[in-house]
Amino acid sequence: METLLLDHEAVEANAPMADVTSAVSDAFAAYERGNAQMPAKSYIELDRYNGDFRSMPAYLDAGEWDAAGIKWVNVHPENAQKYDLPTVLGTMIYSDPTNAFPLAIMDGTALTRLRTGAAAAVATDHLAVEDATSLGIVGAGVQSYTQLEAIAAVRPIKEVVISDLDEERVERFIDRYSDEFEVTAGSVADAAACDVLSTVTPVTEPIIDRSMVSDHTHINAIGADAPGKHELGDQLLAESTLVIDDFEQTTHSGEINVPWSAGVLTDDDIHAALGEIVVGDATGRTADTGFTVFDSTGLAIQDVAAAHVVYGRAQAEENGTPVSLVDTTVR
């Protein structure tokens, strides 16, 4: 038995967005039905290095398949300046739940981008208007690419407005997608005026307020992943149909963490968890639904679901680098 090593190119090559989105939807359903185990994300704070490590283990049984794994990920804001490395690095260990054999070790950074886009696509599919043709994205970093690719797979997106303070990032994004979409640079307000909006920034002061969005807008709030981060104004959140991925994570470090801690938002302000909508226990968009918000913190079950897709396709295509990681002669 051998373990597959899959670098970022192999992960991306073996992850058709439609398949990843379907698997992530299955993961939300399994979690809601109680067919998943996902211990709380644990943190190791590294103040001397201005960074942290996070461990994200999970197991899920989706019915036709089950999967297990753990992602080891970090946030080191000074990496780019000091070490010419990304701020966030991740490694996924994907294991056979029947015997614990490590089936694959894969780039968790690429996997994170893919599953985050897929989660937004699942939410968009349930919460955005059916004829949504415009997508605004605030933040032109690496997450913006999979936001567009995933959301365009579930809605007929034609126009894209990209907003970022870094003009070079904006130009790179436009160059990448100008052949497929009508892509323009715009202000935050321009992006917020679209049918669907994804915010992927690290801000701690809200940049989107209620006046910027229409009554049919759907918002994927992606950027908040730590206490204190906050992209959407409190009034906007309070008046929205608010959907979360996981109560513990969103109240601790998701988009709602600041107003929740201040008592501005309560349980009554949360419409549902996305898993409840996926399995039909709560409603998605109806004719009476106004603007909607999906608070996405990123769940370990999503990583495991995406890894399931990547490993299965890599096996079928016979790619990746096999290594004899485990000495199977030892009993």
Side-chain angles (χ1 to χ4, degrees), residues 116 120 143 147 198-201 220-225 231 294 296-297:
T116 304
Q143 287 286 359
Q147 287 295 303
S198 287
T199 57
V200 283
T201 75
N220 297 301
I222 306 296
D225 62 355
E231 298 181 296
F294 172 51
S296 174
T297 59

Side-chain angles (χ1 to χ4, degrees), residues 20-39 41 55-62 65-71 92 94 111 115-116 118-119 244-246 249 273-275 278 297-309:
V20 176
T21 299
S22 177
V24 168
S25 181
D26 288 346
F28 277 117
Y31 188 45
E32 182 60 33
R33 291 176 174 135
N35 295 328
Q37 296 180 54
M38 187 176 65
K41 184 188 301 185
S55 62
M56 301 175 64
Y59 165 79
L60 68 96
D61 181 356
W65 55 274
D66 67 343
I70 181 169
K71 186 172 74 173
M92 182 74 186
Y94 180 68
L111 200 71
R115 62 84 154 147
T116 304
I244 62 175
D245 58 7
D246 176 73
Q249 284 196 189
L274 184 55
V278 170
T297 59
L299 306 180
I301 53 170
Q302 299 167 9
D303 295 302
V304 170
H308 164 74
V309 173

Side-chain angles (χ1 to χ4, degrees), residues 87 113 137-149 162-174 176-177 198-202 222 231:
T87 299
R113 293 197 297 269
I137 304 176
V138 181
V142 294
Q143 287 286 359
S144 63
Y145 293 77
T146 50
Q147 287 295 303
L148 173 53
E149 291 166 10
I162 182 73
S163 180
D164 196 295
L165 295 175
D166 188 325
E167 293 182 0
E168 290 186 6
R169 281 184 169 186
V170 170
E171 287 304 315
R172 283 197 297 270
F173 185 94
I174 292 174
R176 172 78 173 267
Y177 293 109
S198 287
T199 57
V200 283
T201 75
I222 306 296
E231 298 181 296

Side-chain angles (χ1 to χ4, degrees), residues 48-259:
R48 64 183 294 187
Y49 301 118
N50 186 26
D52 64 57
F53 284 117
R54 308 168 188 194
S55 62
M56 301 175 64
Y59 165 79
L60 68 96
D61 181 356
E64 295 184 358
W65 55 274
D66 67 343
I70 181 169
K71 186 172 74 173
W72 179 243
V73 65
N74 77 294
V75 177
H76 281 61
E78 298 175 12
N79 264 6
Q81 179 182 358
K82 287 187 174 182
Y83 305 108
D84 196 27
L85 288 171
T87 299
V88 178
L89 299 165
T91 302
M92 182 74 186
I93 301 173
Y94 180 68
S95 300
D96 187 337
T98 64
N99 55 28
F101 188 83
L103 299 170
I105 298 173
M106 61 184 74
D107 175 40
T109 309
L111 200 71
T112 300
R113 293 197 297 269
L114 291 160
R115 62 84 154 147
T116 304
V122 174
T124 299
D125 199 27
H126 287 280
L127 297 169
V129 293
E130 288 290 337
D131 58 350
T133 58
S134 60
L135 170 64
I137 304 176
V138 181
V142 294
Q143 287 286 359
S144 63
Y145 293 77
T146 50
Q147 287 295 303
L148 173 53
E149 291 166 10
I151 290 169
V154 298
R155 286 296 184 273
I157 300 299
K158 297 177 181 177
E159 301 175 14
V160 180
V161 177
I162 182 73
S163 180
D164 196 295
L165 295 175
D166 188 325
E167 293 182 0
E168 290 186 6
R169 281 184 169 186
V170 170
E171 287 304 315
R172 283 197 297 270
F173 185 94
I174 292 174
D175 289 344
R176 172 78 173 267
Y177 293 109
S178 58
D179 290 341
E180 302 173 61
F181 305 93
E182 182 182 329
V183 190
T184 58
S187 66
V188 171
D190 292 334
C194 294
D195 298 325
V196 180
L197 170 67
S198 287
T199 57
V200 283
T201 75
V203 299
T204 56
E205 293 293 332
I207 54 176
I208 309 291
D209 62 44
R210 172 66 185 92
S211 65
M212 294 180 179
V213 302
S214 75
D215 288 340
H216 74 266
T217 302
H218 168 63
I219 304 170
N220 297 301
I222 306 296
D225 62 355
K229 291 188 177 182
H230 192 20
E231 298 181 296
L232 310 181
D234 291 352
Q235 181 187 2
L236 188 159
L237 288 168
E239 294 182 10
S240 72
T241 297
L242 178 61
V243 176
I244 62 175
D245 58 7
D246 176 73
F247 181 83
E248 183 172 351
Q249 284 196 189
T250 53
T251 55
H252 173 265
S253 54
E255 177 55 38
I256 67 172
N257 83 89
V258 174

